[in-house]
Amino acid sequence: MKKLEIVIKPERLEDLKEILNTCDVQGMMITNIMGFGNQKGYQKSYRGTAYTVNFLPKIKVETVTDAETAGIIIKIIKDRLATDDEIGGGKIFVYDVEDVVRIRTGDHGVNAI
């Protein structure tokens, strides 16, 4: 099993949800986060004073699925959400999941997802 942490711009959330729904993902967790990567923020000016906005709004979507589906999801996200040369398109972090336990039934593994 794999856990995917997908960090994207907020305006891409609906597109990502559609991708995950078409891949029959059983659930997802969505968190509003702030951060920066290669883009390092941007400059703004307020009343003649320049300042740097380092942390930009992002969305983190987490889901756990079987390894085969995770590979399919990653490929579709790369194909549909790629921003070409635009910095700040996002990242996908992939983790191995040793086990999942559904508390209500005690199911383990893929059956618990």
Side-chain angles (χ1 to χ4, degrees):
M1 292 177 293
K2 300 289 184 181
K3 176 182 179 183
L4 302 178
E5 278 187 9
I6 306 158
V7 179
I8 55 170
K9 292 180 177 183
E11 59 266 21
R12 304 309 297 265
L13 179 60
E14 290 303 317
D15 295 332
L16 179 60
K17 283 176 19 184
E18 181 182 320
I19 291 168
L20 295 176
N21 286 332
T22 59
C23 292
D24 292 328
V25 167
Q26 298 299 310
M28 64 184 90
M29 296 171 284
I30 300 173
T31 309
N32 288 306
I33 61 173
M34 301 286 285
F36 69 88
N38 291 332
Q39 64 205 108
K40 306 283 192 255
Y42 57 92
Q43 292 279 88
K44 285 199 101 167
S45 179
Y46 179 73
R47 293 188 179 186
T49 304
Y51 64 96
T52 302
V53 177
N54 288 34
F55 296 105
L56 305 172
K58 303 286 183 180
I59 299 286
K60 179 170 69 172
V61 178
E62 300 172 81
T63 189
V64 176
T65 187
D66 62 271
E68 182 181 336
T69 303
I72 293 168
I73 291 169
I74 292 167
K75 181 182 181 331
I76 294 172
I77 290 172
K78 288 186 339 184
D79 291 345
R80 290 199 203 160
L81 299 185
T83 56
D84 298 321
D85 294 332
E86 184 182 331
I87 293 176
K91 296 255 189 317
I92 303 171
F93 300 94
V94 182
Y95 304 95
D96 288 323
V97 175
E98 186 176 320
D99 197 8
V100 176
V101 179
R102 178 174 288 153
I103 296 172
R104 178 177 53 87
T105 62
D107 290 344
H108 283 259
V110 177
N111 293 332
I113 298 175

